[in-house]
Amino acid sequence: MWRVTIILVLVSLTMAVDKSVIIIGSGISGYSAASRLIENGFDDVIILEAEDRIGGRINTIPFSDGFIDLGAQWVHGQVNNIIYEMTHEHFEFGSTPFVEVPFTFLFSNGTKADQELFRTISKINFDIFLALDETDTFTGSFGEMFLEVLGEVTMNDSFPVFKDLDLKIIETMKENAERFINGYCALKSWFDMSAKLSAQEDEAGGNLHNTWKKQGFKTVFDFISKKLPDPSQHIDIDSKVQLNKKVTNINYNVIDANSKAVITCEDGSSYEAKHVIFTPSLGVLKKYHESLFTPTLPEQKVLAIKTWGFGAAGKVFLEFDEPFWSEEGEPFVAYEFLWLDADKDEAKAYNREWMLGISAFYIVDEFPNMLEAYLGGPKINQFEASSDEKIIEDCMWALEKFLGKSLPKPKAMTRSKWLSNENFLGSYSYPSMDAERAGVGIKELAESINNDNGEPILLFAGEATDEKYPGNTHAGVRSGFRAADEIISSYQ
Ligand SMILES: Cc1cc2nc3c(=O)[nH]c(=O)nc-3n(C[C@H](O)[C@H](O)[C@H](O)COP(=O)(O)OP(=O)(O)OC[C@H]3O[C@@H](n4cnc5c(N)ncnc54)[C@H](O)[C@@H]3O)c2cc1C
Ligand SMILES: *[C@@H]1O[C@H](CO)[C@@H](O)[C@H](O)[C@H]1NC(C)=O
Ligand SMILES: *[C@@H]1O[C@H](CO)[C@@H](O)[C@H](O)[C@H]1NC(C)=O
């Protein structure tokens, strides 16, 4: 008889505490949340993922004789970067020398520009960016602020380079500054980004362009699951992931401590859990928040979803038989394009406007035969809709124009398509003017929804919900850990 009693007590003890968690999305934030939860004894964890692969905006693919990244590529920073901290003692990072090696400036008529002059100008541009990053007293857009400061600098006797400088050159300088910012922050226009809110974000310190060499960003998942550096510590997360499971509704209308949220998928299946962590992009939230959540989300959160920025950036990788970009002895990192009006018009006439969003063609660490282009601006949709043949043709048109000679055809090309993919609808978040005006921000995006007992039921993680480093992979990790910790501490 006593045995039966003990068994009953044990059963009721384990039955009493339902610690089930469903994580929506297997990007770096969802994966990090799962790792932290499982490590803390939460066994009932399921990750539902709409795509047929783990990783989200980390998408490492085989290309040439290694792996390249269509999404996140660099570990941006070393100090205060949680990814760098968990990996660098066990992984020897490479680097793209964007700071160390000066860019090569070319005009679209095939003439090499005065390198000394453009390097000086581009250094001044960069110093203005850095200065703006430190000042959060401006109101207005990043673009307006940049132009205001540049205006002051060009009139200032301490910068003699601007004396007698052709107005056209100053125009080109502004254009290239915007092109760079648009690409870096995934903007259509630099007038869309708030100067004040962007200055409030942090940047991790140290080298900003640490590379995973030929192995790609996917390597980070082995560190998050602790397979690396010590396989005996491995937390099995992959077996918790269900692929091709697109979530269409989350009913979080839980009445009491015993009821659960109900998650419905596109294939008709449904799941129940005590806690739901939602990690899909802000782009997905913008388009689908009304149908995704029952009841509808709180007003302030909806306002933040509608107004906070979510932009699009793109990438092209070209592999050649051999490099044509390194002239003897000259260190090379990137071509920066200085477009002349006639050639901009030609780009427009041939549906190549997307090319005007490319800030540079640059080398790829450990792939000596490869060039990569990064682009932002308003024409990412045209870029993604163009066929692969057209992309190659457009790139070669531009490269031949700027280099002023005919070039060998690339032997392979691959490129990203983040904006047209329904599971992303863009690339990463940015602090918008609209959000500054509405007075809402990351806090509202990140806020959890609790039941009447104060237990978190619906939690939000993902790159856009991290107040310090939004946009970045390390923000993804931090946000996943934050959501997991919130659930864990609700049981303590
Ligand atoms: C082109 C590009 C370049 C970048 N470069 C860098 C870089 O160099 N360094 C850096 O640190 N960061 C970079 N980033 C940003 C970085 O990739 C992201 O910040 C980070 O990967 C986001 O992770 P996440 O988990 O928040 O979101 P995601 O990776 O988007 O994860 C969310 C997951 O949810 C899934 N999902 C969506 N909808 C549903 C649904 N209805 N049901 C189920 N699942 C769903 C998605 O498929 C996805 O897997 C770059 C991003 C892009 C696009
Ligand atoms: C190309 O354009 C630049 C900038 O306008 C000019 O200085 C240069 O002379 C031009 N070269 C040719 C060959 O026309
Ligand atoms: C000119 O630039 C110098 C150096 O940045 C700065 O100290 C000075 O205040 C500027 N002068 C004006 C009039 O803006």
Side-chain angles (χ1 to χ4, degrees), residues 15 23 59 199 263 300 310 423 441:
M15 295 283 283
I23 299 169
N59 187 8
I263 293 103
Q300 284 299 97
F310 193 71
N423 296 323

Side-chain angles (χ1 to χ4, degrees), residues 243-260:
L243 299 173
N244 302 306
K245 282 283 180 190
K246 184 168 183 144
V247 171
T248 51
N249 182 260
I250 299 149
N251 187 326
Y252 64 95
N253 195 9
V254 288
I255 311 112
D256 57 51
N258 295 319
S259 56
K260 303 193 204 181

